[in-house]
């Protein structure tokens, strides 16, 4: 026999679950795509199919209705335009989804296309397993190729560019972005939180940078950039952000790229090029690896967690002559 308190709790939980299910159902039934996404006449034909898939997708779990309905509407509209049967086993087939991403999403921006692809693939895999009992195929994931480091000549050109911008604020932003990237190896998510108090003058002229956030650490700036870094940091108040202090949303992924896109590339071989913060960090990492610095030191300074994280940079390391390699392997005579 269920006691009164337990019965009340069960009733409350069921009532809450029922209200949630009703709210989700209402959102699914009320959904209609924008006219530029699916023409209204076509939407009237495919709406029952899209809503049915939406109910199944939400029940399978990966996404809620606000996320999954528009990608599903795009997919079903494309499937109908191809003359394919509007059946779940056809629409959600992995080959159909991949063909849609390749062919049917050409008009979408690259980031939107990747997001749509990810959402549809996850929803498809969950639905195939939940509704049709089909296990998704095993995906072989290739290691992403890292961006190449900047050669010394381009580093020199970019350094001149950073110091040649017309206003002090522009020059300071460019020099700090450059020094924190190629001199300290900071990723964008690290450097955007660096404040004036975090850039310190250490012993014998060294420049130290305290990094906060997900990978807290203290980094010693490379010798070639420490003087410029300290000179620019001297003008930053202790509680002000070093890079773009006027930018409010520090979590934005575009805080650096948005700023860099504003300025023409007018120096030498940098005409029309785009300075990339990730390439600055790669340049720093490859320089440390080529210098033979102990791997444990590099991992600690970079904030990387494993040696595997460094393996993709091996393609950029200098070749060692056979005679030198032999001497290194032999070691010093006792």
């Amino acid at each position: 026999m269920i006691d009164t308190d337990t019965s009340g709790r069960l009733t409350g939980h069921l009532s809450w679950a029922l209200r949630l299910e009703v709210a989700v159902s209402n959102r699914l039934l009320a959904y209609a795509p924008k006219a530029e996404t699916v023409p209204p006449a076509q939407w009237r034909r495919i709406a029952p199919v899209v809503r049915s898939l939406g109910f199944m997708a939400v029940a399978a779990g990966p996404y809620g209705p606000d996320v999954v309905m528009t990608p599903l509407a795009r997919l079903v509209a494309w499937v109908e335009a191809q003359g394919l049967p509007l059946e779940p086993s056809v629409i959600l087939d992995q080959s159909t989804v991949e063909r849609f991403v390749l062919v049917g999403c050409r008009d979408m921006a690259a980031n939107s296309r990747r997001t749509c692809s990810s959402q549809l693939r996850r929803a498809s895999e969950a639905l195939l397993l939940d509704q049709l009992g089909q296990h998704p195929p095993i995906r072989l994931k290739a290691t992403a190729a890292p961006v190449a480091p900047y050669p010394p000549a381009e580093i020199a050109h970019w350094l001149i560019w950073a110091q040649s911008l017309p206003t002090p604020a522009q020059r300071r932003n460019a020099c700090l972005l450059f020094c924190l990237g190629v001199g300290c190896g900071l990723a964008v998510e690290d450097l955007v939180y660096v404040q004036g108090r975090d850039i310190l003058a250490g012993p014998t002229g060294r420049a130290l940078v305290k990094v906060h956030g997900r990978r807290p650490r203290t980094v010693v700036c490379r010798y070639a950039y420490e003087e410029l870094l300290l000179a620019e940091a001297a003008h930053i108040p202790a509680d002000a952000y070093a890079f773009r202090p006027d930018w409010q949303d520090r979590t934005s992924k575009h805080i650096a790229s948005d700023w860099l896109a504003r300025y023409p590339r007018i120096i030498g071989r940098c005409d029309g090029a785009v300075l990339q913060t990730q390439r600055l960090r790669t340049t720093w990492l490859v320089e440390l690896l080529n210098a033979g610095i102990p791997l444990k030191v590099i991992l600690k300074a970079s904030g990387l967690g494993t040696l595997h994280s460094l393996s993709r940079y091996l393609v950029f390391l200098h070749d060692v002559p056979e005679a030198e390699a032999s001497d290194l392997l032999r070691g010093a005579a006792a």
Side-chain angles (χ1 to χ4, degrees):
M1 181 176 180
I2 301 176
D3 62 50
T4 304
D5 291 342
T6 302
S7 176
R9 287 197 299 271
L10 287 173
T11 302
H13 288 314
L14 290 172
S15 176
W16 177 85
L18 182 60
R19 288 198 301 271
L20 179 61
E21 184 176 347
V22 170
V24 170
S25 298
N26 288 339
R27 292 211 301 276
L28 287 167
L29 292 172
Y31 171 80
K34 295 179 180 178
E36 58 267 28
T37 301
V38 179
Q42 186 182 23
W43 173 244
R44 285 192 290 272
R45 293 194 305 270
I46 67 173
V49 177
V50 176
R51 288 178 178 139
S52 176
L53 291 176
F55 276 105
M56 291 191 294
V58 172
Y63 298 112
D66 297 330
V67 173
V68 79
M69 287 299 285
T70 295
L72 283 176
R74 288 180 180 273
L75 174 62
V76 175
W78 180 83
V79 168
E80 187 200 47
Q82 303 305 303
L84 298 172
L86 295 185
E87 300 174 0
S89 59
V90 175
I91 299 170
L92 301 175
D93 187 82
Q94 293 290 300
S95 61
T96 304
V97 172
E98 294 191 7
R99 182 68 178 163
F100 166 69
V101 171
L102 287 173
V103 178
C105 296
R106 287 177 176 172
D107 61 330
M108 298 173 66
N111 287 339
S112 298
R113 186 166 59 250
R114 283 193 292 270
T115 300
C116 183
S117 171
S118 175
Q119 291 166 345
L120 281 176
R121 285 191 172 115
R122 286 197 62 199
S124 171
E125 291 171 359
L127 280 166
L128 286 173
L129 181 60
D130 185 65
Q131 299 293 325
L132 305 177
Q134 299 178 13
H135 287 272
I138 297 173
R139 295 188 177 277
L140 300 178
K141 184 177 180 182
T143 302
V147 294
Y150 283 112
E154 287 193 33
I155 287 291
H157 280 297
W158 281 118
L159 188 55
I160 295 172
W161 167 83
Q163 296 175 296
S164 302
L165 290 173
T167 71
Q170 291 169 359
R171 290 193 296 273
R172 183 167 304 123
N173 276 323
C175 289
L176 286 168
L177 187 68
F178 194 85
C179 291
L180 292 173
V182 78
C184 303
L186 269 59
V188 171
E189 67 174 279
D190 296 324
L191 67 86
V192 296
Y193 292 108
V194 173
Q195 295 182 312
R197 62 167 65 90
D198 297 321
I199 303 175
L200 311 170
T204 64
R206 295 176 185 172
L208 308 177
V209 179
K210 290 185 177 180
V211 181
H212 306 282
R214 188 165 60 92
R215 301 177 290 193
R217 61 198 185 277
T218 298
V219 183
V220 179
C221 183
R222 299 292 280 171
Y223 172 81
Y225 310 101
E226 62 186 15
E227 184 177 350
L228 178 59
L229 178 60
L230 290 174
E232 294 297 339
H235 302 283
I236 305 170
D239 58 350
Y241 289 111
F243 178 68
R244 298 194 75 177
D246 57 332
W247 186 275
Q248 299 299 317
D249 184 9
R250 309 309 291 186
T251 63
S252 171
K253 296 179 180 179
H254 308 293
I255 185 170
S257 58
D258 172 81
W259 185 85
L260 288 167
R262 300 182 181 189
Y263 303 104
R265 282 48 173 164
I266 57 176
I267 304 298
R269 290 193 300 157
C270 295
D271 292 353
V274 177
L275 183 64
Q276 299 178 28
T277 53
Q278 183 56 46
R279 287 191 72 185
L280 293 176
R281 176 171 163 85
T282 296
T283 304
W284 175 81
L285 278 168
V286 171
E287 183 178 340
L288 297 186
L289 290 167
N290 277 324
I293 294 175
L295 294 177
K296 193 169 182 178
V297 174
I298 297 177
L299 288 175
K300 184 177 180 180
S302 64
L304 296 174
T306 64
L307 288 174
H308 176 68
S309 305
L310 297 174
S311 62
R312 58 190 182 137
Y313 299 104
L314 293 177
V315 295
F316 303 124
L317 301 190
H318 298 323
D319 289 328
V320 179
E322 187 174 348
E324 182 182 347
S326 180
D327 290 339
L328 290 170
L329 290 170
R330 183 188 181 203

